[in-house]
Amino acid sequence: MGSQPKSWSVNGSRGYVEQGVLNDTDSGTPQGGVISPLLANIAFHGMEAAVGVKRIARGDNVGKRALVRYADDIVVFCETEEDAYAAKADIGAWLQQRGLRLSEAKTRVVHLADGFDFLGFNVRHYRRRKQAGRDGSC
């Protein structure tokens, strides 16, 4: 890496650091640019631990919360509505430390039975229909 400039966004500042000096730039990374998902994944690394997501060695989720993240799109699954609002506050505090914030217009708490759209998919819990013969009836 040597003398290559490093590009960072710190507390809302734009620019790059070269030889220890922050140099301003006119613009940041373009929305939808090919590098945006990578930069978001770097910026959001550690979010799972901050909201209390727990995993065992092979990667299975064992906690009361689960988090799904793709670039800057985030979904947190919780067991109760109260915990969902607590998770939202936890993420908000974690982002604030990095000079970022949740979009109030795009952030909402919904019951999984009502469902929501995420990355072009409708995510919801569907009740399982009773199948003939499963409960001893025909």
Side-chain angles (χ1 to χ4, degrees):
M1 295 227 175
S3 64
Q4 263 188 327
K6 296 177 183 176
S7 183
W8 298 96
S9 176
V10 180
N11 295 329
S13 300
R14 288 191 306 245
Y16 63 95
V17 176
E18 186 172 14
Q19 296 182 352
V21 176
L22 176 63
N23 297 285
D24 194 25
T25 58
D26 294 332
S27 63
T29 303
Q31 179 74 22
V34 295
I35 196 71
S36 293
L38 173 65
L39 293 176
N41 280 324
I42 292 169
F44 293 156
H45 180 73
M47 181 184 288
E48 291 85 353
V51 297
V53 173
K54 295 182 178 131
R55 300 182 188 278
I56 58 175
R58 68 175 188 218
D60 292 343
N61 190 9
V62 295
K64 294 184 179 230
R65 293 178 179 172
L67 187 139
V68 178
R69 179 168 53 87
Y70 179 81
D72 63 347
D73 295 313
I74 303 161
V75 175
V76 180
F77 294 93
C78 302
E79 292 184 353
T80 66
E81 183 178 15
E82 294 78 24
D83 190 41
Y85 282 104
K88 181 180 172 186
D90 291 345
I91 290 175
W94 188 85
L95 289 171
Q96 187 176 20
Q97 293 173 353
R98 288 149 181 81
L100 303 169
R101 63 179 162 70
L102 288 172
S103 166
E104 289 300 321
K106 296 179 183 178
T107 304
R108 57 193 178 113
V109 173
V110 298
H111 194 280
L112 202 48
D114 298 330
F116 59 93
D117 292 331
F118 182 66
L119 301 175
F121 293 92
N122 184 262
V123 179
R124 75 176 53 235
H125 177 259
Y126 291 96
R127 293 233 178 248
R128 196 161 115 184
R129 291 186 227 170
K130 289 185 179 180
Q131 294 179 354
R134 286 202 121 176
D135 59 358
S137 63
C138 293

